[in-house]
Each structure stands twice: as C-alpha cells, then as structure tokens.
Coordinates of all heavy atoms in Angstrom, one line a residue:
M1 N 0.8 -1.2 0.0 CA 0.0 0.0 0.0 C 0.9 1.3 0.0 O 1.8 1.4 0.8 CB -0.9 0.0 1.2 CG -2.1 -0.8 1.1 SD -3.3 -0.2 -0.1 CE -4.1 1.1 0.8
S2 N 0.5 2.2 -0.9 CA 1.2 3.4 -0.8 C 0.5 4.4 0.2 O -0.6 4.1 0.6 CB 1.2 4.1 -2.2 OG -0.1 4.3 -2.6
D3 N 1.2 5.4 0.5 CA 0.6 6.4 1.4 C 0.6 7.7 0.8 O 1.3 8.7 1.1 CB 1.5 6.4 2.7 CG 0.8 7.2 3.8 OD1 -0.4 7.4 3.7 OD2 1.6 7.6 4.7
N4 N -0.3 7.8 -0.2 CA -0.4 9.1 -1.0 C -1.0 10.2 -0.2 O -1.8 10.0 0.7 CB -1.2 8.8 -2.3 CG -0.5 8.0 -3.3 OD1 0.7 7.8 -3.2 ND2 -1.2 7.4 -4.2
K5 N -0.6 11.4 -0.6 CA -1.1 12.6 0.2 C -2.0 13.4 -0.7 O -1.6 13.8 -1.8 CB 0.1 13.4 0.6 CG -0.2 14.4 1.7 CD 1.1 14.9 2.4 CE 1.7 16.0 1.5 NZ 2.8 16.7 2.2
D6 N -3.2 13.8 -0.2 CA -4.1 14.6 -0.9 C -3.8 16.1 -0.5 O -3.7 16.4 0.6 CB -5.5 14.3 -0.6 CG -5.9 12.9 -1.0 OD1 -5.1 12.3 -1.8 OD2 -7.0 12.5 -0.7
V7 N -3.7 17.0 -1.5 CA -3.5 18.4 -1.3 C -4.5 19.2 -2.1 O -4.6 19.0 -3.3 CB -2.1 18.8 -1.7 CG1 -1.8 20.3 -1.4 CG2 -1.0 17.9 -1.0
V8 N -5.2 20.1 -1.5 CA -6.2 20.9 -2.2 C -5.4 22.2 -2.6 O -4.8 22.9 -1.8 CB -7.4 21.3 -1.3 CG1 -8.3 22.3 -2.0 CG2 -8.1 20.0 -0.9
Q9 N -5.5 22.5 -3.9 CA -4.8 23.6 -4.5 C -5.8 24.4 -5.3 O -6.9 23.9 -5.7 CB -3.7 23.2 -5.4 CG -2.7 22.3 -4.6 CD -1.6 21.8 -5.5 OE1 -1.8 21.5 -6.7 NE2 -0.4 21.6 -5.0
V10 N -5.4 25.7 -5.7 CA -6.2 26.5 -6.6 C -5.4 26.7 -7.8 O -4.2 27.1 -7.7 CB -6.6 27.8 -6.0 CG1 -7.4 28.7 -7.0 CG2 -7.5 27.6 -4.7
H11 N -5.9 26.4 -9.0 CA -5.2 26.6 -10.2 C -6.1 27.3 -11.2 O -7.3 27.1 -11.3 CB -4.8 25.2 -10.9 CG -3.7 24.6 -10.1 ND1 -2.4 24.8 -10.4 CD2 -3.7 23.7 -9.1 CE1 -1.6 24.1 -9.6 NE2 -2.4 23.4 -8.8
G12 N -5.5 28.2 -12.0 CA -6.2 28.9 -13.1 C -6.2 28.1 -14.3 O -5.3 27.4 -14.7
C13 N -7.3 28.2 -15.1 CA -7.4 27.6 -16.4 C -6.3 28.2 -17.3 O -6.1 29.4 -17.3 CB -8.8 28.0 -17.0 SG -8.9 27.6 -18.7
I14 N -5.6 27.3 -18.0 CA -4.5 27.8 -18.8 C -4.9 28.5 -20.0 O -4.2 29.2 -20.6 CB -3.5 26.7 -19.2 CG1 -4.2 25.6 -20.0 CG2 -2.8 26.1 -18.0 CD1 -3.3 24.6 -20.6
V15 N -6.2 28.4 -20.4 CA -6.7 29.1 -21.6 C -7.2 30.5 -21.2 O -6.9 31.5 -21.8 CB -7.8 28.3 -22.3 CG1 -8.3 29.0 -23.5 CG2 -7.3 26.9 -22.6
C16 N -8.1 30.6 -20.1 CA -8.7 31.8 -19.8 C -8.5 32.4 -18.4 O -8.9 33.5 -18.1 CB -10.2 31.7 -20.1 SG -11.1 30.7 -18.9
G17 N -7.8 31.6 -17.6 CA -7.4 32.0 -16.2 C -8.5 31.9 -15.2 O -8.3 32.2 -14.0
R18 N -9.6 31.3 -15.5 CA -10.6 31.0 -14.5 C -10.1 30.1 -13.4 O -9.4 29.1 -13.7 CB -11.8 30.3 -15.2 CG -13.0 30.0 -14.2 CD -14.1 29.4 -15.0 NE -15.0 28.7 -14.1 CZ -16.0 27.9 -14.5 NH1 -16.2 27.6 -15.8 NH2 -16.8 27.3 -13.6
L19 N -10.4 30.4 -12.1 CA -9.8 29.6 -11.0 C -10.7 28.4 -10.7 O -11.9 28.4 -10.6 CB -9.7 30.5 -9.8 CG -8.7 31.7 -10.0 CD1 -8.7 32.5 -8.7 CD2 -7.3 31.2 -10.3
F20 N -10.0 27.3 -10.4 CA -10.6 26.0 -10.0 C -9.9 25.5 -8.7 O -8.7 25.6 -8.6 CB -10.4 25.0 -11.1 CG -11.2 25.2 -12.3 CD1 -10.5 25.7 -13.5 CD2 -12.6 25.1 -12.4 CE1 -11.3 25.9 -14.7 CE2 -13.3 25.3 -13.5 CZ -12.6 25.8 -14.7
N21 N -10.8 24.9 -7.9 CA -10.2 24.1 -6.8 C -9.8 22.7 -7.4 O -10.6 22.1 -8.1 CB -11.2 23.9 -5.7 CG -11.5 25.2 -5.0 OD1 -10.6 25.9 -4.7 ND2 -12.8 25.4 -4.7
V22 N -8.6 22.3 -7.0 CA -8.1 21.1 -7.5 C -7.6 20.2 -6.4 O -6.9 20.7 -5.5 CB -6.9 21.3 -8.5 CG1 -6.3 20.0 -9.0 CG2 -7.3 22.2 -9.7
L23 N -8.0 18.9 -6.4 CA -7.5 18.0 -5.4 C -6.3 17.2 -6.1 O -6.5 16.4 -7.0 CB -8.6 17.0 -5.0 CG -8.2 16.0 -4.0 CD1 -7.9 16.6 -2.6 CD2 -9.3 14.9 -3.8
A24 N -5.1 17.5 -5.6 CA -3.9 16.8 -6.2 C -3.5 15.7 -5.2 O -3.6 15.8 -4.0 CB -2.8 17.8 -6.3
V25 N -3.0 14.6 -5.8 CA -2.6 13.4 -5.0 C -1.1 13.3 -5.3 O -0.7 13.1 -6.5 CB -3.4 12.2 -5.4 CG1 -2.9 11.0 -4.5 CG2 -4.9 12.4 -5.3
Y26 N -0.3 13.3 -4.2 CA 1.1 13.1 -4.4 C 1.6 11.8 -3.7 O 1.1 11.4 -2.7 CB 1.9 14.3 -3.7 CG 1.7 15.6 -4.4 CD1 0.7 16.5 -4.0 CD2 2.5 15.9 -5.4 CE1 0.5 17.7 -4.7 CE2 2.4 17.1 -6.1 CZ 1.4 18.0 -5.8 OH 1.2 19.2 -6.4
A27 N 2.5 11.1 -4.4 CA 3.1 9.9 -3.8 C 4.1 10.4 -2.7 O 4.5 11.5 -2.6 CB 3.8 9.2 -4.9
P28 N 4.4 9.4 -1.9 CA 5.4 9.7 -0.8 C 6.7 10.3 -1.3 O 7.3 11.1 -0.6 CB 5.6 8.3 -0.1 CG 4.4 7.5 -0.4 CD 4.0 8.0 -1.8
N29 N 7.1 10.1 -2.5 CA 8.3 10.6 -3.1 C 8.1 12.0 -3.6 O 9.0 12.6 -4.2 CB 9.0 9.7 -4.1 CG 8.1 9.6 -5.3 OD1 7.0 10.2 -5.5 ND2 8.5 8.7 -6.3
G30 N 6.9 12.6 -3.5 CA 6.6 13.9 -3.9 C 6.1 14.0 -5.4 O 5.8 15.1 -5.9
K31 N 6.1 12.9 -6.1 CA 5.6 12.9 -7.4 C 4.1 13.0 -7.5 O 3.4 12.4 -6.8 CB 6.1 11.6 -8.1 CG 6.0 11.6 -9.6 CD 6.7 10.3 -10.1 CE 6.3 9.9 -11.5 NZ 6.2 10.9 -12.5
L32 N 3.6 13.9 -8.5 CA 2.2 14.0 -8.7 C 1.6 12.8 -9.3 O 2.1 12.4 -10.4 CB 1.9 15.2 -9.6 CG 0.5 15.6 -9.9 CD1 -0.3 16.0 -8.6 CD2 0.4 16.6 -11.0
V33 N 0.7 12.1 -8.7 CA 0.2 10.8 -9.3 C -1.2 11.0 -9.8 O -1.7 10.1 -10.5 CB 0.2 9.7 -8.3 CG1 1.7 9.3 -8.0 CG2 -0.5 10.0 -7.0
G34 N -1.9 12.1 -9.4 CA -3.3 12.2 -9.9 C -3.8 13.6 -9.5 O -3.3 14.2 -8.6
C35 N -4.9 14.0 -10.2 CA -5.5 15.2 -9.8 C -6.9 15.2 -10.3 O -7.3 14.6 -11.3 CB -4.8 16.5 -10.3 SG -4.7 16.6 -12.1
T36 N -7.8 15.9 -9.5 CA -9.2 16.0 -9.8 C -9.6 17.5 -9.6 O -9.3 18.0 -8.5 CB -10.0 15.1 -8.9 OG1 -9.5 13.8 -9.0 CG2 -11.5 15.1 -9.4
V37 N -10.3 18.0 -10.6 CA -10.9 19.4 -10.4 C -12.2 19.2 -9.6 O -13.1 18.5 -10.1 CB -11.1 20.1 -11.7 CG1 -11.8 21.4 -11.5 CG2 -9.7 20.3 -12.4
T38 N -12.3 19.8 -8.5 CA -13.4 19.7 -7.6 C -14.5 20.8 -7.9 O -15.6 20.6 -7.5 CB -13.1 19.6 -6.1 OG1 -12.3 20.8 -5.8 CG2 -12.2 18.4 -5.8
S39 N -14.1 21.8 -8.6 CA -15.1 22.9 -9.0 C -15.8 22.4 -10.2 O -15.2 21.6 -11.0 CB -14.3 24.2 -9.3 OG -13.6 24.6 -8.3
P40 N -17.1 22.8 -10.4 CA -17.8 22.3 -11.6 C -17.2 23.0 -12.9 O -16.7 24.1 -12.9 CB -19.2 22.8 -11.4 CG -19.1 23.9 -10.3 CD -17.9 23.6 -9.5
G41 N -17.2 22.2 -14.0 CA -16.9 22.8 -15.3 C -15.4 22.8 -15.6 O -15.0 23.5 -16.6
G42 N -14.6 22.1 -14.9 CA -13.2 22.0 -15.2 C -12.6 20.7 -15.1 O -13.2 19.7 -14.6
H43 N -11.4 20.5 -15.7 CA -10.7 19.3 -15.6 C -9.2 19.5 -15.6 O -8.7 20.6 -15.9 CB -11.0 18.3 -16.7 CG -10.7 18.9 -18.1 ND1 -11.5 19.8 -18.8 CD2 -9.6 18.7 -18.9 CE1 -10.9 20.1 -19.9 NE2 -9.8 19.5 -20.0
C44 N -8.4 18.5 -15.2 CA -7.0 18.6 -15.1 C -6.4 18.4 -16.5 O -6.9 17.7 -17.3 CB -6.4 17.6 -14.2 SG -6.6 18.1 -12.5
V45 N -5.2 19.1 -16.8 CA -4.5 18.9 -18.0 C -3.2 18.2 -17.7 O -2.4 18.7 -16.8 CB -4.2 20.2 -18.7 CG1 -3.3 20.0 -20.0 CG2 -5.5 21.0 -19.0
P46 N -2.9 17.0 -18.3 CA -1.7 16.3 -17.9 C -0.4 17.1 -18.3 O -0.4 17.6 -19.5 CB -1.8 15.0 -18.7 CG -3.1 15.0 -19.3 CD -3.7 16.3 -19.3
D47 N 0.5 17.2 -17.5 CA 1.8 17.8 -17.8 C 2.8 17.2 -16.8 O 2.5 16.9 -15.7 CB 1.7 19.3 -17.5 CG 3.0 20.0 -17.9 OD1 3.9 20.0 -17.1 OD2 3.0 20.6 -18.9
E48 N 4.0 16.9 -17.4 CA 5.0 16.2 -16.6 C 5.6 17.0 -15.4 O 6.0 16.4 -14.5 CB 6.1 15.6 -17.5 CG 6.9 16.6 -18.2 CD 6.5 16.7 -19.7 OE1 5.3 16.5 -20.0 OE2 7.4 16.9 -20.5
N49 N 5.5 18.3 -15.6 CA 6.2 19.1 -14.5 C 5.2 19.8 -13.6 O 5.6 20.2 -12.5 CB 7.0 20.2 -15.2 CG 8.1 19.6 -16.1 OD1 8.8 18.6 -15.7 ND2 8.2 20.1 -17.3
Q50 N 4.0 20.0 -14.0 CA 3.2 21.0 -13.3 C 1.7 20.6 -13.4 O 1.3 20.0 -14.4 CB 3.4 22.3 -14.0 CG 2.6 23.5 -13.4 CD 3.3 24.1 -12.2 OE1 4.5 24.1 -12.2 NE2 2.5 24.5 -11.3
L51 N 1.0 20.8 -12.4 CA -0.4 20.5 -12.4 C -1.1 21.7 -13.1 O -1.0 22.9 -12.7 CB -0.9 20.4 -10.9 CG -2.3 19.7 -10.7 CD1 -2.4 19.4 -9.2 CD2 -3.4 20.5 -11.2
L52 N -1.9 21.4 -14.1 CA -2.6 22.4 -14.9 C -4.1 22.1 -15.0 O -4.5 20.9 -15.0 CB -2.0 22.5 -16.3 CG -0.5 22.8 -16.4 CD1 -0.1 22.6 -17.9 CD2 -0.3 24.2 -16.0
A53 N -4.9 23.1 -15.0 CA -6.3 22.9 -15.1 C -6.9 23.7 -16.3 O -6.3 24.7 -16.8 CB -7.0 23.4 -13.9
A54 N -8.0 23.3 -16.8 CA -8.7 24.0 -17.9 C -10.2 23.7 -17.8 O -10.7 22.7 -17.3 CB -8.2 23.5 -19.3
C55 N -11.0 24.7 -18.4 CA -12.4 24.6 -18.4 C -12.8 23.5 -19.4 O -12.1 23.2 -20.4 CB -13.1 25.9 -18.9 SG -12.6 27.4 -18.0
D56 N -14.0 22.8 -19.1 CA -14.5 21.8 -20.0 C -14.9 22.4 -21.3 O -15.0 21.7 -22.3 CB -15.7 21.1 -19.3 CG -15.2 20.2 -18.2 OD1 -14.1 19.8 -18.2 OD2 -16.1 19.9 -17.4
I57 N -15.2 23.7 -21.4 CA -15.7 24.3 -22.6 C -14.7 24.5 -23.7 O -15.0 24.7 -24.8 CB -16.4 25.7 -22.3 CG1 -15.4 26.6 -21.7 CG2 -17.7 25.5 -21.5 CD1 -15.9 28.1 -21.6
H58 N -13.4 24.4 -23.3 CA -12.3 24.6 -24.3 C -12.1 23.3 -25.1 O -12.2 22.2 -24.5 CB -11.0 25.1 -23.6 CG -11.2 26.3 -22.8 ND1 -11.7 27.5 -23.3 CD2 -10.9 26.6 -21.5 CE1 -11.7 28.4 -22.4 NE2 -11.2 27.9 -21.3
T59 N -11.8 23.5 -26.3 CA -11.5 22.3 -27.2 C -10.1 21.8 -26.9 O -9.2 22.6 -26.4 CB -11.6 22.7 -28.7 OG1 -10.5 23.6 -29.0 CG2 -12.9 23.3 -29.0
P60 N -9.8 20.5 -27.2 CA -8.4 20.0 -27.0 C -7.4 20.9 -27.7 O -6.3 21.1 -27.2 CB -8.5 18.6 -27.5 CG -9.9 18.2 -27.4 CD -10.7 19.5 -27.6
D61 N -7.7 21.4 -28.9 CA -6.8 22.3 -29.6 C -6.5 23.5 -28.9 O -5.3 23.9 -28.8 CB -7.4 22.6 -31.0 CG -7.2 21.6 -32.0 OD1 -6.5 20.6 -31.7 OD2 -7.7 21.7 -33.2
E62 N -7.5 24.2 -28.3 CA -7.3 25.4 -27.6 C -6.4 25.1 -26.4 O -5.5 25.9 -26.1 CB -8.7 25.9 -27.0 CG -9.5 26.7 -28.0 CD -10.7 27.2 -27.3 OE1 -11.5 26.4 -26.9 OE2 -10.9 28.4 -27.2
I63 N -6.7 24.0 -25.7 CA -5.9 23.7 -24.5 C -4.4 23.4 -24.9 O -3.5 23.8 -24.2 CB -6.5 22.5 -23.8 CG1 -7.9 22.9 -23.2 CG2 -5.6 21.9 -22.7 CD1 -8.8 21.8 -22.7
D64 N -4.3 22.7 -26.0 CA -2.9 22.3 -26.5 C -2.1 23.6 -26.8 O -1.0 23.7 -26.4 CB -3.1 21.4 -27.7 CG -1.7 20.8 -28.1 OD1 -1.1 20.2 -27.1 OD2 -1.3 20.8 -29.2
V65 N -2.8 24.5 -27.5 CA -2.1 25.8 -27.9 C -1.7 26.6 -26.6 O -0.6 27.1 -26.5 CB -3.0 26.6 -28.8 CG1 -2.5 28.1 -28.9 CG2 -3.1 26.0 -30.2
A66 N -2.7 26.6 -25.7 CA -2.4 27.4 -24.4 C -1.3 26.7 -23.6 O -0.5 27.4 -23.0 CB -3.7 27.5 -23.6
H67 N -1.3 25.4 -23.6 CA -0.3 24.6 -22.9 C 1.1 24.9 -23.5 O 2.0 25.2 -22.7 CB -0.6 23.1 -23.0 CG 0.2 22.3 -22.1 ND1 0.0 20.9 -22.1 CD2 1.1 22.6 -21.2 CE1 0.9 20.4 -21.2 NE2 1.5 21.4 -20.7
K68 N 1.2 24.9 -24.8 CA 2.5 25.2 -25.4 C 2.9 26.7 -25.1 O 4.1 27.0 -24.9 CB 2.4 25.0 -26.9 CG 2.3 23.5 -27.3 CD 2.6 23.3 -28.8 CE 2.7 21.8 -29.1 NZ 1.5 21.1 -29.0
R69 N 1.9 27.6 -25.2 CA 2.2 29.0 -24.9 C 2.7 29.2 -23.5 O 3.6 29.9 -23.2 CB 1.0 29.8 -25.2 CG 1.2 31.3 -25.3 CD -0.1 32.0 -25.6 NE -1.1 31.7 -24.7 CZ -2.4 31.7 -24.9 NH1 -2.9 31.9 -26.1 NH2 -3.3 31.5 -24.0
W70 N 2.0 28.5 -22.6 CA 2.3 28.5 -21.2 C 3.7 28.0 -20.9 O 4.5 28.6 -20.2 CB 1.3 27.7 -20.4 CG 1.5 27.6 -18.9 CD1 0.9 28.5 -18.0 CD2 2.2 26.7 -18.2 NE1 1.3 28.1 -16.8 CE2 2.1 27.0 -16.9 CE3 3.0 25.6 -18.6 CZ2 2.7 26.3 -15.8 CZ3 3.6 24.9 -17.6 CH2 3.5 25.2 -16.2
Q71 N 4.1 26.9 -21.6 CA 5.4 26.4 -21.4 C 6.5 27.3 -22.0 O 7.5 27.5 -21.3 CB 5.5 25.0 -22.2 CG 4.9 23.9 -21.4 CD 4.8 22.6 -22.2 OE1 4.7 22.6 -23.5 NE2 5.0 21.5 -21.6
S72 N 6.3 27.9 -23.1 CA 7.3 28.8 -23.7 C 7.4 30.1 -22.9 O 8.4 30.6 -22.8 CB 7.0 29.0 -25.2 OG 5.8 29.8 -25.3
R73 N 6.2 30.5 -22.4 CA 6.3 31.7 -21.6 C 7.0 31.5 -20.3 O 7.8 32.3 -19.8 CB 4.8 32.2 -21.2 CG 4.7 33.6 -20.6 CD 3.3 33.9 -20.4 NE 2.6 33.0 -19.5 CZ 1.3 32.8 -19.6 NH1 0.6 33.4 -20.4 NH2 0.8 31.9 -18.7
N74 N 6.8 30.3 -19.7 CA 7.6 30.0 -18.5 C 9.1 30.0 -18.7 O 9.9 30.4 -18.0 CB 7.1 28.6 -18.0 CG 6.1 28.8 -16.9 OD1 5.4 29.8 -16.9 ND2 5.9 27.8 -16.1
E75 N 9.5 29.4 -19.9 CA 10.9 29.3 -20.2 C 11.4 30.7 -20.4 O 12.5 31.1 -20.0 CB 11.1 28.5 -21.5 CG 11.0 27.0 -21.2 CD 10.7 26.2 -22.5 OE1 11.0 26.7 -23.6 OE2 10.3 25.0 -22.3
K76 N 10.6 31.6 -21.1 CA 11.0 32.9 -21.4 C 11.2 33.7 -20.1 O 12.1 34.5 -19.9 CB 10.0 33.6 -22.2 CG 10.6 34.3 -23.4 CD 9.5 35.2 -24.1 CE 9.6 35.2 -25.6 NZ 8.4 35.5 -26.3
E77 N 10.2 33.6 -19.2 CA 10.3 34.3 -17.9 C 11.5 34.0 -17.1 O 12.0 34.8 -16.4 CB 9.0 34.0 -17.1 CG 7.9 35.0 -17.5 CD 6.6 34.7 -16.8 OE1 6.6 34.0 -15.8 OE2 5.6 35.3 -17.2
L78 N 11.9 32.7 -17.2 CA 13.1 32.3 -16.5 C 14.3 33.0 -17.1 O 15.2 33.5 -16.4 CB 13.3 30.8 -16.6 CG 12.4 30.0 -15.7 CD1 12.6 28.5 -15.9 CD2 12.6 30.3 -14.2
A79 N 14.3 33.2 -18.4 CA 15.5 33.8 -19.1 C 15.4 35.3 -19.0 O 16.4 36.0 -18.8 CB 15.5 33.3 -20.6
D80 N 14.2 35.8 -19.2 CA 14.1 37.3 -19.2 C 12.8 37.7 -18.6 O 11.8 37.6 -19.2 CB 14.3 37.8 -20.6 CG 14.2 39.3 -20.7 OD1 14.0 40.0 -19.7 OD2 14.4 39.8 -21.8
E81 N 12.8 38.3 -17.4 CA 11.5 38.6 -16.7 C 10.9 39.9 -17.2 O 9.7 40.1 -17.0 CB 11.8 38.7 -15.2 CG 12.3 37.4 -14.7 CD 11.7 37.2 -13.3 OE1 10.4 37.3 -13.1 OE2 12.4 36.8 -12.4
Q82 N 11.6 40.7 -17.9 CA 11.1 42.1 -18.2 C 10.4 42.1 -19.5 O 9.5 43.0 -19.7 CB 12.3 43.0 -18.3 CG 13.4 42.8 -17.3 CD 13.6 44.0 -16.4 OE1 13.5 45.1 -16.8 NE2 14.0 43.7 -15.2
E83 N 10.7 41.2 -20.5 CA 10.3 41.4 -21.9 C 8.8 41.2 -22.1 O 8.2 41.7 -23.0 CB 11.0 40.4 -22.7 CG 11.1 40.7 -24.2 CD 12.0 41.9 -24.5 OE1 13.2 41.8 -24.2 OE2 11.5 42.9 -24.9
D84 N 8.1 40.4 -21.2 CA 6.7 40.1 -21.4 C 5.8 41.3 -21.4 O 6.0 42.1 -20.5 CB 6.3 39.1 -20.4 CG 5.1 38.2 -20.9 OD1 5.2 37.9 -22.1 OD2 4.2 37.9 -20.1
E85 N 4.9 41.4 -22.3 CA 3.9 42.6 -22.4 C 4.6 43.9 -22.8 O 5.1 44.5 -21.9 CB 3.1 42.7 -21.2 CG 2.7 41.4 -20.7 CD 1.3 41.2 -20.3 OE1 0.5 42.2 -20.1 OE2 0.8 40.1 -20.2
Ligands
LIG101 ZN1 -10.9 28.4 -19.3

C-alpha cells in the first residue's frame, strides 16, 4: 500500500485564467500521481512538470495551444523577466 497525500490547491485555467479548486494526489516521493478538479466545469491537463487545469468548454486544440504557450512563456520568464507585455 502506498501512502499518497491529498493536497487541495487552486489553479487557473491555462486558456482563460478561471480559477478552479483542484485535489492533487502526491506519492510519498513527492511525485504528482493524480488530480481532480473539484469545482464544476473544469478538468486537469496532464503535464509532466506541473499541475494544470482547464475549463471543460475549451477544445483540446485550444488547450494544447495554451499549454504550449504557457510552457514557452515559463521558459522565457526564467530567461528574461522584463520582456513580457
Ligand atoms: Zn478556461
């Protein structure tokens, strides 16, 4: 039996920024093993590094584009914090 830990977090939709309550499950080694959006109208987006959420109304294409944009923006912000906007 594993001893996974449940953690309630708030995450914004990666497409439009709407906030969702998310129940994340972490393994004893700290690895994210599962997540469930507990607010109505949202779901989790699988990502190897980060827990992400999105509204159910967005298409998989929209989510995919936003996910890629989110990843590249994160990389950019690490390299240069001033350039955005
Ligand atoms: Zn959204």
Side-chain angles (χ1 to χ4, degrees):
M1 279 294 280
S2 61
D3 191 17
N4 291 343
K5 195 166 80 172
D6 293 353
V7 182
V8 176
Q9 303 175 330
V10 176
H11 286 274
C13 167
I14 57 168
V15 180
C16 70
R18 181 179 163 191
L19 295 178
F20 291 107
N21 290 318
V22 177
L23 180 68
V25 182
Y26 290 95
N29 65 4
K31 194 170 158 44
L32 181 70
V33 292
C35 62
T36 308
V37 173
T38 56
S39 304
H43 62 275
C44 285
V45 178
D47 183 279
E48 59 257 37
N49 301 314
Q50 180 84 33
L51 200 168
L52 300 170
C55 308
D56 288 340
I57 56 169
H58 302 306
T59 65
D61 276 356
E62 278 182 300
I63 293 168
D64 194 47
V65 167
H67 191 182
K68 289 192 170 72
R69 195 176 57 210
W70 181 89
Q71 284 174 321
S72 65
R73 192 177 58 207
N74 266 23
E75 282 160 21
K76 229 191 217 160
E77 270 175 16
L78 286 177
D80 183 353
E81 295 220 49
Q82 322 240 329
E83 202 70 62
D84 207 37
E85 317 223 347

